[in-house]
């Protein structure tokens, strides 16, 4: 009798738990229910379209160390869980008409680390460098950085917290003790709990709100999908501008104010000294200078797992975070089928084992699928070259920035709704100084002239009129496109949570809301059993959300 009672009790519990799961799924939509009718959230006119930069007098961006003590400390991932990079800067930058770069061999690049605060059992040594931003023209000031250090820690255990100090113990000039947690071992049931996705950050008061909310989400990893500091919205004398082109027309080269990079590194240290950050370049990182050099600050200040992932460039690389394989692509370097990036991407995708890393997530800066007027179809040449390859390997989600608003797509391929296409999410709403994107191309008078759409840094002209579908014969839709499921002009950030090998929860948070209030939320569900290129994992289809 007792066994029968227990069996009935277990049955009731299972039934109740099933109802709970059903109600959760009913409350939060899933991509299985899509495609969804396009929706536009009304614009809140109380939001500031132009954010205000933190001034150099703000204590959060001031230098707080002395001599060659480390500052701007950050953690980034290698290609697998057993390795991370620690980066920092020692010494002061110089800006002016007569600069004298520091000697990077003057200070060692040492990290002490271990699973205990005391004693730290291991030591690793890395390399250091100094970069300059040069404008050999009358009236323009030059810049040279402090000494930038990158040290790779190896032999780490998965899902383990490590403590570390960095610097040069011989001076002595060592940092305080910081800590980070390694990614879980790759596997179909093994994931970091929360991954923060943010784009187009800059360093404004709105950025401050974004980062505050992001920290409250307690992420295990941060992805920054381009446009980091917006240092190129400043002249070399520190005078700022609210737009990329309006204040630079008379200068011999588009200037930047490199100290904004140092300000950003100091501001972000509280987060990225313990939570790994992975960055891909945006157009504001181009930063042309003398000698036809560009992207020098971006390539110098961050550590990238390029070599570990078989890439020869800081502009594209890949890495694993548990059962997710992330592909970081460069939109401002050659991407055509004869280019090194494309060949690397083919090889990287071919090496992905979906039974080990079921989720395939790609990021780059300018979106392929956006219905905002700003940057509309700007990256069309990149889409033409790469979309079919990504689709054939079953990429699940794509994250972009560039457009200063939020937009989530239905599953789409070649502008056609497709249950096996990726979900494209634009999160260029981090809070930067430039104006928020509020106009849509489907609104009267907003469709741009096609010849004005290409970005000169991204190749030729590929955006022509649509040849099929509801917008056939037109360059823009006359209503919100079918591929656009949800769009809203607000600052914010997103959190990605993989629940298992087929279910992921995506949540977008708006800055103007409370820190726990969702602006948009959906379960993104993989269907490897029906979609080409998505290898079925051993436990495919099982869900325990």
């Amino acid at each position: 009798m007792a066994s029968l009672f227990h069996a009935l009790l277990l049955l009731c519990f299972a039934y109740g738990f099933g109802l709970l799961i059903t109600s959760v799924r009913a409350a939060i939509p899933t991509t299985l229910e899509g495609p969804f009718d396009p929706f536009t959230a009304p614009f809140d006119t109380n939001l500031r379209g132009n954010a205000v930069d933190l001034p150099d007098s703000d204590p959060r961006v001031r230098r707080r160390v002395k001599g060659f003590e480390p500052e701007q400390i950050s953690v980034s991932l290698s290609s697998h869980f057993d390795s991370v990079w620690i980066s920092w800067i020692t010494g002061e930058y110089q800006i002016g008409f007569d600069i004298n770069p520091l000697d990077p061999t003057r200070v060692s690049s040492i990290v002490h680390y271990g699973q205990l605060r005391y004693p730290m059992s291991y030591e690793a040594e890395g390399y250091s460098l100094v970069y300059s931003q040069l404008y050999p023209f009358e009236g323009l000031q030059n810049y040279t950085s402090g000494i930038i250090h990158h040290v790779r820690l190896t032999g780490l255990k998965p899902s383990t917290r490590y403590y570390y100090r960095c610097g040069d113990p011989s001076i002595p000039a060592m940092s305080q003790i910081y800590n980070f947690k390694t990614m879980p071992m790759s596997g179909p049931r093994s994931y970091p709990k929360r991954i923060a996705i943010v784009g187009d950050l800059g360093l404004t008061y709105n950025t401050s709100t974004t980062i505050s909310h992001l920290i409250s989400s307690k992420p295990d990893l941060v992805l920054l999908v381009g446009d980091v500091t917006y240092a190129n919205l400043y002249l070399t004398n520190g005078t700022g501008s609210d737009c990329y082109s309006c204040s630079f027309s008379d200068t011999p080269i588009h200037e930047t104010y490199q100290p904004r990079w140092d300000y950003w590194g100091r501001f972000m240290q509280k987060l990225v000294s313990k939570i790994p950050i992975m960055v891909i370049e945006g157009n504001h990182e181009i930063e042309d200078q003398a000698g036809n050099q560009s992207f020098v600050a971006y390539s110098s200040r961050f550590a990238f797992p390029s070599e570990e992932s078989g890439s020869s460039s800081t502009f594209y690389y890949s890495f694993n975070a548990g059962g997710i394989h992330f592909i970081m692509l460069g939109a401002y370097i050659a991407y055509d089928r004869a280019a090194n990036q494309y060949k690397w991407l083919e090889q990287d995708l071919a090496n992905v084992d979906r039974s080990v890393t079921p989720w395939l997530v790609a990021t780059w800066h300018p979106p392929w699928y956006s219905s905002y007027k700003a940057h509309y179809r700007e990256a069309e040449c990149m889409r033409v070259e790469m979309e079919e390859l990504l689709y054939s390997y079953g990429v699940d989600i794509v994250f972009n920035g560039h457009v200063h608003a939020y937009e989530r797509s239905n599953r789409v391929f070649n502008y056609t709704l497709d249950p096996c296409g990726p979900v494209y999410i634009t999160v260029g709403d981090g809070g930067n100084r430039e104006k928020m994107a509020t106009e849509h191309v489907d609104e009267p008078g907003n469709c741009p002239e096609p010849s004005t759409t290409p970005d000169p840094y991204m190749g030729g002209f590929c955006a022509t009129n649509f040849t099929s579908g509801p917008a056939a014969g037109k360059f823009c839709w006359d209503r919100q496109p079918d591929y656009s499921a949800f769009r809203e002009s607000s600052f914010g950030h997103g959190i990605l949570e993989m629940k298992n090998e087929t279910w992921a929860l995506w949540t977008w948070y708006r800055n103007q809301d409370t820190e726990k209030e969702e602006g948009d939320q959906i379960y993104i569900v993989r269907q490897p059993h029906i979609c080409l290129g998505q290898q079925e994992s051993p436990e495919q289809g099982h869900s325990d959300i």
Side-chain angles (χ1 to χ4, degrees), residues 487-545:
R487 63 189 184 188
E488 181 173 358
S489 298
S490 296
F491 292 123
H493 77 282
I495 295 291
L496 181 65
E497 303 171 73
M498 269 55 185
K499 301 300 182 180
N500 54 50
E501 65 272 27
T502 54
W503 285 68
L505 179 62
W506 166 253
T507 308
W508 174 61
Y509 295 97
R510 308 184 309 174
N511 282 4
Q512 67 266 34
D513 296 331
T514 61
E515 295 179 357
K516 300 300 180 183
E517 183 179 347
E518 301 88 3
D520 181 40
Q521 193 169 53
I522 190 170
Y523 280 111
I524 298 173
V525 185
R526 298 177 59 244
Q527 299 185 83
H529 56 292
I530 67 170
C531 292
L532 178 67
Q534 299 190 27
Q535 302 172 23
E536 187 168 327
S537 62
E539 302 173 88
Q540 180 271 317
H542 179 72
S543 173
D544 54 353
I545 297 172

Side-chain angles (χ1 to χ4, degrees), residues 6 17 41 58 62 68 77 120 183 197 252 270 298 311 359 364 381 426 431 448 454 494 534:
H6 287 134
F17 185 73
D58 191 294
R62 301 297 296 169
F68 288 97
L77 301 180
M120 294 182 183
M183 292 293 104
I197 319 287
K270 63 182 177 182
Y298 161 82
S311 168
W359 288 94
W364 59 88
C381 287
T426 299
Q534 299 190 27

Side-chain angles (χ1 to χ4, degrees), residues 81 94 286 412 421 443 459 487 489 528 542-543:
F81 71 84
Q94 302 167 53
I286 295 173
V412 61
E443 296 165 341
R487 63 189 184 188
S489 298
H542 179 72
S543 173

